[in-house]
Amino acid sequence: MTATYNDQDETTRNALRLSRDAVIQSLGPRLTVYPSNEEMIEAFAKAIFDDYVATLDAGRTHFVAIVPVGPVGQYPLLAKLCQGAGVSLRKMTLIVMDEYLTDEGAWIDDSDPLSFRGHIERNLLANLAPDDQPEVIIPDPRNPKSVQKRIEAFGGVDITYAGVGITGHLAFNEPMEGVTDAAYFATLPTRVVPLLRETRLINSVTAARGNVARIPRLAVTVGMREILSARKLHLFMNRSWQSAAIRRLAFGPVTPAFPASLVQNHADWQISAVSHVLETPEPELA
């Protein structure tokens, strides 16, 4: 049977048809596959720890990373790794990718379970002694340019860690209607953005038991300019619906219609994925 694809170019259709083995073979050393989400999350925490230590060992005085909240689970493990090794994170700056906003454009309250800055506070900072905590920067909707200024002060971003959204967004850099120039999209800075319906819907499934009304309409996000400026990119994928995303970002056209595809133009990028993400994204009715 020939699969039907709506509104997709031939390159995207071919990417979505790639078998599991073809994805693994084509990505080669860029891809690390984990049997379970738990093992991938443990590897995520260890990656942050190892990258931090290696950066300082290489002679840099500070480590700067752009980090996501999703996937979740890595930050308590990172704190445990640091405690076990007697390593302080005071020479680390974490730039949190994004934060949800109220309809008035202010941060949602950090006590809200959806708050990303609240998540970092509860799961990382609260588990570290005050003198061992990293600097944490949250993009500010009132002063979005401050993120780039901090990056410039440190001499750049060492690594961007990221999840991938269903629309292909990195952070909340959603596809934009009428924007087709990938080079332009790659220059977009930290800013306030509306969230697409697809993003709010899938986030309601993963974080609010399907309560779409509970997912904010606005967010502040670190821009593609900051994300792609990092010396390295490391993407983490653990959702079954990311079977399509991994194929589109790695083998589809480089296009702002699927922003994660812009990683193809980066000199140093890799993916860590749970095994089921590699399955072919074809229908299967239960």
Side-chain angles (χ1 to χ4, degrees):
M1 184 186 73
T2 301
T4 299
Y5 287 85
N6 297 318
D7 302 324
Q8 298 293 347
D9 59 90
E10 184 176 359
T11 303
T12 300
R13 290 196 298 270
N14 290 338
L16 291 170
R17 293 186 179 112
L18 286 172
S19 69
R20 174 190 179 91
D21 289 345
V23 171
I24 293 172
Q25 182 176 359
S26 297
L27 283 173
R30 290 193 190 278
L31 175 66
T32 304
V33 182
Y34 295 92
S36 68
N37 183 61
E38 291 74 19
E39 289 169 276
M40 190 199 77
I41 293 300
E42 288 179 4
F44 192 172
K46 193 171 187 304
I48 299 173
F49 179 86
D50 288 348
D51 290 337
Y52 172 63
V53 172
T55 297
L56 299 184
D57 286 347
R60 284 179 57 83
T61 59
H62 206 79
F63 175 76
V64 181
I66 296 174
V67 296
V69 163
V72 298
Q74 61 272 19
Y75 297 116
L77 298 179
L78 174 60
K80 287 182 180 179
L81 284 172
C82 293
Q83 291 165 349
V87 171
S88 170
L89 296 184
R90 63 181 179 272
K91 295 181 180 180
M92 173 186 286
T93 292
L94 298 179
I95 302 171
V96 179
M97 283 189 149
D98 38 27
E99 178 61 295
Y100 285 119
L101 303 179
T102 66
D103 285 346
E104 293 71 38
W107 283 334
I108 63 171
D109 195 88
D110 59 8
S111 64
D112 190 317
L114 292 172
S115 170
F116 299 148
R117 69 190 194 284
H119 182 92
I120 295 292
E121 173 64 39
R122 293 186 295 272
N123 289 278
L124 179 60
L125 302 185
N127 292 316
L128 296 170
D131 289 344
D132 293 332
Q133 294 178 0
E135 176 189 22
V136 175
I137 296 173
I138 312 293
D140 186 345
R142 300 164 301 178
N143 185 19
K145 292 182 179 179
S146 62
V147 170
Q148 183 60 32
K149 289 180 180 178
R150 289 296 287 154
I151 289 173
E152 291 171 357
F154 283 120
V157 177
D158 292 291
I159 188 164
T160 293
Y161 306 99
V164 181
I166 199 164
T167 64
H169 65 237
L170 298 179
F172 276 135
N173 289 281
E174 302 271 38
M176 299 166 62
E177 186 173 356
V179 176
T180 59
D181 185 343
Y184 165 75
F185 197 86
T187 67
L188 291 175
T190 300
R191 65 205 185 282
V192 173
V193 294
L195 299 180
L196 294 184
R197 176 178 57 189
E198 295 89 341
T199 293
R200 294 183 65 236
L201 179 60
I202 197 66
N203 287 5
S204 78
V205 172
T206 58
R209 297 179 177 85
N211 186 358
V212 182
R214 190 64 175 78
I215 305 300
R217 296 179 176 87
L218 295 175
V220 59
T221 184
V222 168
M224 293 298 287
R225 178 174 68 184
E226 291 87 355
I227 289 170
L228 296 173
S229 74
R231 297 175 181 90
K232 297 181 180 181
L233 303 178
H234 194 161
L235 309 183
F236 290 84
M237 308 181 75
N238 64 339
R239 306 288 185 184
S240 60
W241 50 260
Q242 289 175 323
S243 294
I246 195 171
R247 288 164 169 82
R248 291 191 68 180
L249 79 87
F251 306 109
V254 176
T255 170
F258 201 79
S261 66
L262 272 65
V263 306
Q264 294 180 45
N265 290 336
H266 196 278
D268 189 348
W269 59 278
Q270 63 186 110
I271 299 173
S272 290
V274 179
S275 181
H276 61 238
V277 174
L278 280 300
E279 297 304 319
T280 307
E282 287 297 332
E284 183 178 331
L285 297 179

